[in-house]
Each structure stands twice: as C-alpha cells, then as structure tokens.
Amino acid sequence: MADAERLVEIYAPYVRRTAITFEYEVPSVEEFQRRIGRTLEKYPYLVAERDGKLAGYAYAGPLNERPAADWSVETAIYVEKDSRRMGLGRELYAALERELSLMHIINVNACIACPEVEDEYLTCNSIRFHEHMGYRLTGKFHRCGYKFGRWYHLVWMEKHLGEHLEKPAAVKWYGSRE
C-alpha cells in the first residue's frame, strides 16, 4: 500500500480528463489505500514498473458477491500515458490472469466505458485492447454514464481462463494463499 500515492498519480488523469472511469473526483491517497487493502483480502492487485518507476497497475475484484459467482471476477487496468502501447498492459493482464488461474478463477470480466462516437474524452481503445487480450463482447448498457456533459455506454467483455467443469476446484482466495 506504500504505492498508493504513485497509483493515484497514474489514475488521476483518467478521472480528470477521460470518461474511461465514471468517477468525478480523484480519490485521496488514504481512500486508494483502503481500496487496495480491500482488494488484497481476496484478489490480486499488481503493479508494473518502467525504468524503475511504477507505470501501471491491474487488479481483480468480485463480479458478484454471491458464492455461486466465486469463479468470476471483474478486472481493471490503468497504465500511465507515457507507457501505453509498449506492451505494459499486456504484461500486466497476463500476470493477473496467471494469478487468477492459480486461484481457480474461470471467468474474467471487464466493464468498459464506450462512446457513441469517439471523442476527446473516450475512444474505443480499451475495447480493442481487451479484444486483443482474448476477451469477447457480451453486453452493452446504453447511455448509463454521464460525464463532461455527455452520455456514455458501458460494455461488458469476458474471457474464460479455464474449463467450466461440473465440479470446479474451490477458489483459493488471494489473501489466504500459502
């Protein structure tokens, strides 16, 4: 959690200048620390460095709080502007998927902001990134987020990390793994 200040620096431009996140205000370092701590109780929260400096992060959280959905997670990734399109996002997601597979997670899901028409606040780059990572589109919520005086959609994308067996292995929560 010592990385929270730097992670807020990475996240802040997404809040202030994009519709990628539907947050209006940049969270405080203390709030970010709380978010990281809650995530790490059960799920991985990974950071990546470029040239000795934190340049991005990815994490997973519950898709749904009910026990029947334990094998499914929602993922998120943020990479600083200067480190985009250099493979860092791909490396982070690959590492996240490895950790999730070790936990016996089967379904990874991403909820992604989507513009009606690309604009200065939101493009379809996140959708294209997830497609490149093997995700497929599963649904769309129309005009459900309002930011910068415009309405934006959300799309859900999913990827299967393993087989859907009749009796899946129990999930090994990240915070309790040996």
Side-chain angles (χ1 to χ4, degrees), residues 4-169:
E5 185 173 354
R6 175 67 183 131
L7 299 184
V8 170
E9 290 173 6
I10 293 168
Y11 184 60
Y14 287 95
V15 175
R16 291 186 183 120
R17 295 193 283 278
T18 78
I20 289 172
T21 175
F22 284 177
E23 284 198 81
Y24 287 164
E25 301 294 326
V26 176
S28 68
V29 171
E30 294 76 24
E31 171 58 22
F32 225 77
Q33 288 172 327
R34 280 190 289 279
R35 292 178 186 186
I36 294 168
R38 276 193 310 270
T39 298
L40 287 171
E41 289 173 7
K42 288 188 169 185
Y43 301 98
Y45 202 114
L46 308 178
V47 297
E49 289 185 6
R50 279 282 188 248
D51 301 322
K53 182 178 177 185
L54 289 182
Y57 62 98
Y59 60 93
L63 178 66
N64 182 295
E65 295 289 342
R66 304 292 191 262
D70 282 353
W71 294 267
S72 300
V73 298
E74 181 180 352
T75 59
I77 185 170
Y78 293 93
V79 175
E80 74 175 346
K81 185 177 181 179
D82 294 342
S83 295
R84 289 189 212 145
R85 301 199 182 276
M86 299 172 72
L88 186 67
R90 185 179 63 250
E91 291 172 24
L92 268 169
Y93 251 27
L96 184 64
E97 288 176 6
R98 280 191 301 274
E99 291 296 320
L100 294 169
S101 291
L102 291 172
M103 294 172 59
H104 302 149
I105 298 297
I106 300 169
N107 300 325
V108 289
N109 305 273
C111 187
I112 303 165
C114 173
E116 183 87 29
V117 175
E118 291 190 12
D119 62 28
E120 67 271 30
Y121 302 112
L122 188 62
T123 66
C124 293
N125 287 346
S126 292
I127 294 169
R128 287 189 283 271
F129 167 77
H130 283 82
E131 286 172 341
H132 179 73
M133 294 301 300
Y135 285 69
R136 66 183 179 91
L137 185 66
T138 58
K140 184 175 188 177
F141 295 97
H142 298 270
R143 296 182 179 184
C144 59
Y146 184 79
K147 192 169 180 181
F148 303 118
R150 298 173 187 175
W151 287 100
Y152 293 100
H153 310 306
L154 284 175
V155 298
W156 277 99
M157 299 184 78
E158 73 175 357
K159 180 178 180 178
H160 297 157
L161 299 180
E163 292 183 57
H164 293 85
L165 303 173
E166 188 173 326
K167 294 184 180 183

